[in-house]
Every structure is written in C-alpha cells, then in structure tokens.
Amino acid sequence: MLQVNEIRERFDHACEGLKKRNLKNPESLLHQVLELDDQRKQIQLERDGLQAESNALARQIGQLMKAGEKEAAEKTKERTAAIKSQVKILEEDYITTEKSLTQLLYTIPNVPHHTVPAGKTAEDNEEILQNGELPDLEPDYKLPHWDLIKKYDIVDFELGVKITGAGFPVYKGKGAKLQRALINFFLDEAEKAGYDEVQPPVLINEESGYATGQLPDKEGQMYLATEDGLYLIPTAEVPITNMYRNDMLSEADLPKKNVGYTPCFRREAGNWGAHVRGLNRLHQFDKVEIVQITHPDHSYQTLEAMSLHVQGLLQKLELPYRVLRLCGGDMGFTAALTYDMEVFSAAQERWLEVSSVSNFETYQSNRLKLRFKNENKKTVLAHTLNGSALALPRIVAALLENNQSKKGIKMPEVLIPYLGFEWIS
RNA sequence: AGAGGAGUGGCAGAGUGGUCGAUUGCGGCGGUCUUGAAAACCGUUGUACCGCGAGGUACCGGGGGUUCGAAUCCCUCCUCCUCUGCCA
C-alpha cells in the first residue's frame, strides 16, 4: 500500500499518476487518506496524554501503598478510574480510525512510474521492442498446439479432467520431460545470473497474501484450503517475497536475489472464453520466478536487468518475442512499472504473454515491513521486484507450434542436454 | 493426534504484580592503548507511532481479560522441544 507520508509530500504527483490508471477522482480519495491520518494523530495525542497521566498516577499509588498511606492511595484510585474509561473510548476510536485508513489504502493502487503510458486496455500498451523472425509455417504443418499434443500424445487434458477437472493437464512422456527440462534450464540460467535458489511452500497464510497484495484484491482467484485457512499460491512471488516480511536488512545485504520453481494455482474465475484453449490458460501450471529486493536507488536498473534476463531466455529458446510496457489501465494493482514479454505462437498467429516483470517500489515493502538501514543508519523501505523467468505452458505452446515440420517437432539446442532427445515425433 | 515442557532485545540468558523497555554475557558500533591487529579497559547499541522540542505512548510469541499498576496472574490461539502414537 502507499505510504501516507509520500501522499502528503507528493500529493499532486500521486494524483497525476493515479489518473493514468483511470481513477476518477484521486484527489478526493487521497484527501480522505490525509484526513483520516490527521484524525488518527489527533486521537493519539489525546490518548497518549491521558495514558501518561494514568501511568503517573499508578506510580503514585504504588508509592503511597509502600508508605502505608492507604487512604490517599484509595483516593487516587478514584481519579484513575475516570481517566481509564476515557482512554478506553479513545483507544477504540484510534483502532477504528486506523482500520478505516488501512482499508482505504488497500483500495488505492500503486502510483505508476512516470514512463507508464496512460491507457485503458491492452490495446494501449506500448511495444518497446520485437526480436526474432516470425516463423512462416507450411500450410500442412501449421497445427495449433492443442492438436499437436494429441498427435504426439504428450499432454492429456481428458486425463486431467478425470483426476481433477478442466485446466489440470497431465503431461506424458516427452511432454513431461520437456516440463522438467524447461524448469531445470530456467533455474540454471537464473543461478548463472546470481539468483539464489529456494523452494518455498505452495500454500500461504492470509498474512502473506495481504503483504504482497493478493489480498484483499484477488481472493476470488486463489484456491483456499478452508479447513486450515491457507491459500494455494497463484505465483511463487508470494512465498518468496514473504520470506523477507518484517525484516530489517542492512544496506550491505542488498540486493537480495532469489529464484524458485513452483507450480502455480489460479481459479481464473470468469476468465474463460475464446483464446483460452489448450495450454493458453490453466488452473495449475509451472513457473520459475525471480525476485529481487533492492535499494530504492537501483530498482529501475534492476528492472531493466531482469527484463534482459528474461529476454535472454527467450533468445536461447529461439522464440520470437516482443516486450510491452504496460499502460496504466492494464498494469497490476501493486506494480509501478511492468514489462510484459510475449512470444509469437505461429499456428495460433497470436502473441502469448509468458512473463511479466515488475517493480513494486515500496508498495509491497510497506505492507511487508521490509526495511533496511542505509549508510546514515536511517531506516528505509526497500524496493521489491519480481518476474516470471519463465511460465511454462505458453512457452511449450510456442515451441510446439513454431518448430513443427514433417519430421516432427524440433527442440531448441539449449534444451537438448536437458531433454536427451532432439525431436518429438 | 495424545501427554508434558517452553516461547524475553542480533544471539545466549535473568527477571514471577510497582521507577522493568527490561540485570548480565556474547556479538555489533565508537574510543583509549598499539606501527597495525589481538587482548584489556571505557562508552554505546531494539522497533513503531505522536510531538517544533523537552519528551510521551505502545511493544517481553499473537489476541483477549483481571488490576490503580502485568514480561510477571487468568483465558485463548500459534509456534518450538521431549515422550507416545501414526505416516509419504
């Protein structure tokens, strides 16, 4: 969530930014925030003053008791009773005011970076580069991946339906090996780039969900194990970033770089329709995620580096891709700047999003209470960033479609050591 | 899952109703000494919020309660350890 002090100090900047997200009247929203915060301070001032008085009286009573002056002590007790009931009222006020403030802040998305274009939908995203030639498939070998997986029997949706339901495919044979190869390839590449590998839990508690911003925004999109109140992760971003919740790092610890492979679970309620056939959208899928915790001065440099890392993966996989800078309307609630990487899927003739790399600045760290001591020993919120590197299913879709021919499907060179085969045929 | 024990500052570990935000040791930081280091000695060393400041308030696993006053008593939840049971 946004920092109240930031809103106070850079009110116009915040308003302008939020307008790029198509918020109707950010001024009144942010004014409400400041008013609530002023109220909060006012109440604290009163409450603390009374509490101080009460504490002083309590000490007096103690001394009177010791001195054996019971009557004077009893008299003083009467005075504290009145103060106590007042403090209680003020305390309740304080809590409700603070709660409303937090609730309000939860409804306000992150302020976009100045380079974020205004816009409403994906149409308004800005393409910043495109790389690689779009394959020109022969008409006889231009099958969409959902036909290819049947042809070569490498992914079985019906079997998944039997076991679980729609959107939970079973990968078989070379299909399963391809999954494993991609995961290992992505992890190895991240490790070469200096990321420390972790394997986090795939269930998270409510607190973690709030800290990275999935709650209270996306509860409907996460699977919930009601018996224990735990959510299945929609992305490894949640558990990995939450490793640093409530941490006080030192400047020398930064940057923190982690990579983790996890399955991801998304209910995708209301998201089904055209264009979601086959591997394009699933309830369970595999993803390797990179996360960085950085000094605020370096986070945008880091974002570029992460973007280049992801692009490097796509280049090595020989997939044509483009990079988009998301517009205010299309960007996630918590991000300040997001790059989407899309690969071209040659049979579908569509661009498929395979990665999203974002800088959250202090939006997450404010909730996480993820701070560090800077060189002047001042406590500062760190910046958090994350990106997919990469999500598997659409990569698989593009690899299958783009590399098909009479002989079968040719695997990219970099994967062959991981796969132990060159062709799916 | 059952029985028992325990959760205190970066770590270790005192404190069982009244100047306790908390003794002490280690670690960290600053200094004295030294060519430099070690040792020794001296000082310092939690977080958040409020206040121009002096300073105040809160926090001893989380939440609630008793009391004029709670780290200390009560309730509840969580976590860890030991034993028993079960199990990939």
Side-chain angles (χ1 to χ4, degrees):
Chain A
M1 66 189 163
L2 295 177
Q3 301 175 76
V4 177
N5 287 341
E6 276 287 311
I7 295 173
R8 204 178 285 283
E9 281 162 31
R10 305 183 69 194
F11 191 88
D12 295 336
H13 170 259
C15 286
E16 268 172 52
L18 291 175
K19 277 178 189 160
K20 281 200 280 195
R21 286 193 181 262
N22 313 306
L23 251 71
K24 275 180 195 149
N25 194 350
E27 284 88 355
S28 90
L29 205 57
L30 297 185
H31 269 303
Q32 271 182 63
V33 168
L34 296 185
E35 266 172 46
L36 278 170
D37 191 50
D38 287 340
Q39 256 179 59
R40 194 198 104 244
K41 287 180 184 178
Q42 188 54 41
I43 296 166
Q44 181 176 350
L45 208 61
E46 276 185 62
R47 183 201 63 186
D48 285 2
L50 283 170
Q51 190 60 252
E53 201 177 323
S54 165
N55 287 347
L57 288 174
R59 251 170 272 147
Q60 270 182 37
I61 292 169
Q63 281 173 352
L64 289 170
M65 298 286 250
K66 254 185 202 167
E69 299 180 40
K70 277 193 182 166
E71 273 183 36
E74 287 303 322
K75 258 195 171 172
T76 313
K77 274 192 198 179
E78 282 168 29
R79 283 167 58 201
T80 55
I83 295 175
K84 206 183 154 188
S85 64
Q86 266 189 74
V87 168
K88 199 174 176 187
I89 292 165
L90 286 169
E91 180 64 20
E92 279 163 14
D93 273 7
Y94 186 87
I95 290 167
T96 51
T97 308
E98 198 180 35
K99 256 189 199 158
S100 347
L101 177 58
T102 308
Q103 288 301 329
L104 185 60
L105 285 169
Y106 278 161
T107 68
I108 304 171
N110 202 353
V111 175
H113 188 249
H114 72 265
T115 59
V116 170
K120 293 205 166 138
T121 65
E123 304 287 302
D124 302 315
N125 294 337
E126 179 187 340
E127 180 172 323
I128 54 180
L129 68 89
Q130 187 175 320
N131 190 289
E133 297 233 338
L134 304 191
D136 191 15
L137 298 177
E138 290 175 42
D140 290 347
Y141 297 96
K142 200 176 178 179
L143 293 174
H145 69 271
W146 48 85
D147 289 336
L148 291 168
I149 59 174
K150 275 193 183 154
K151 183 172 170 186
Y152 296 109
D153 193 26
I154 50 175
V155 184
D156 194 328
F157 281 95
E158 286 72 23
L159 209 48
V161 168
K162 177 159 85 178
I163 302 166
T164 310
F168 293 91
V170 175
Y171 302 88
K172 295 158 73 176
K174 286 185 171 176
K177 283 188 195 300
L178 179 54
Q179 294 288 111
R180 188 147 57 91
L182 283 167
I183 292 163
N184 284 329
F185 169 63
F186 292 149
L187 287 171
D188 285 351
E189 291 295 311
E191 201 170 357
K192 281 185 215 161
Y195 291 87
D196 296 323
E197 186 175 344
V198 293
Q199 201 173 83
V202 297
L203 276 83
I204 51 140
N205 57 31
E206 202 177 47
E207 212 178 336
S208 293
Y210 274 98
T212 37
Q214 280 67 32
L215 297 173
D217 182 36
K218 292 204 173 96
E219 41 275 276
Q221 296 298 343
M222 289 193 286
Y223 289 96
L224 173 60
T226 50
E227 184 83 11
D228 298 289
L230 299 174
Y231 293 89
L232 275 76
I233 56 170
T235 158
E237 161 196 344
V238 183
I240 297 178
T241 312
N242 268 283
M243 296 195 307
Y244 299 99
R245 174 147 48 88
N246 290 329
D247 269 12
M248 178 71 79
L249 304 169
S250 69
E251 189 162 344
D253 295 331
L254 300 175
K256 291 279 186 187
K257 301 174 75 171
N258 289 108
V259 60
Y261 152 71
T262 67
C264 302
F265 304 90
R266 297 185 183 180
R267 295 187 63 228
E268 302 290 1
N271 277 345
W272 298 85
H275 293 313
V276 294
R277 284 190 75 178
L279 296 168
N280 289 351
R281 176 158 289 147
L282 300 170
H283 285 307
Q284 177 179 335
F285 63 95
D286 293 297
K287 181 158 66 65
V288 171
E289 182 81 3
I290 50 176
V291 172
Q292 289 211 43
I293 315 294
T294 74
H295 191 290
D297 293 350
H298 309 142
S299 64
Y300 280 96
Q301 258 167 278
T302 300
L303 183 69
E304 295 305 316
M306 288 169 77
S307 161
L308 288 175
H309 176 75
V310 172
Q311 292 181 52
L313 298 175
L314 297 171
Q315 286 161 17
K316 284 177 183 163
L317 292 171
E318 301 162 46
L319 290 169
Y321 68 88
R322 64 181 188 181
V323 179
L324 305 175
R325 184 187 280 126
L326 295 194
C327 73
D330 201 32
M331 201 163 52
F333 197 77
T334 52
L337 176 57
T338 298
Y339 292 126
D340 267 10
M341 283 69 179
E342 299 185 334
V343 296
F344 191 73
S345 206
Q348 298 182 70
E349 296 184 318
R350 284 181 61 204
W351 292 97
L352 299 177
E353 181 195 331
V354 291
S355 176
S356 204
V357 184
S358 305
N359 187 355
F360 303 90
E361 298 189 359
T362 60
Y363 196 89
Q364 288 183 328
S365 59
N366 190 27
R367 284 200 211 177
L368 285 158
K369 294 206 186 76
L370 165 51
R371 301 149 301 168
F372 70 96
K373 293 262 191 213
N374 70 11
E375 11 175 55
N376 306 321
K377 298 197 172 173
K378 236 189 110 185
T379 304
V380 183
L381 290 173
H383 281 194
T384 64
L385 303 95
N386 66 52
S388 351
L390 289 159
L392 296 228
R394 294 174 190 164
I395 291 288
V396 171
L399 285 175
L400 297 180
E401 291 184 13
N402 296 12
N403 298 323
Q404 61 183 304
S405 69
K406 194 176 177 183
K407 266 183 81 178
I409 299 164
K410 187 164 190 313
M411 293 291 102
E413 288 298 320
V414 284
L415 289 184
I416 293 170
Y418 290 94
L419 286 165
F421 59 84
E422 195 177 346
W423 291 86
I424 295 175
S425 53

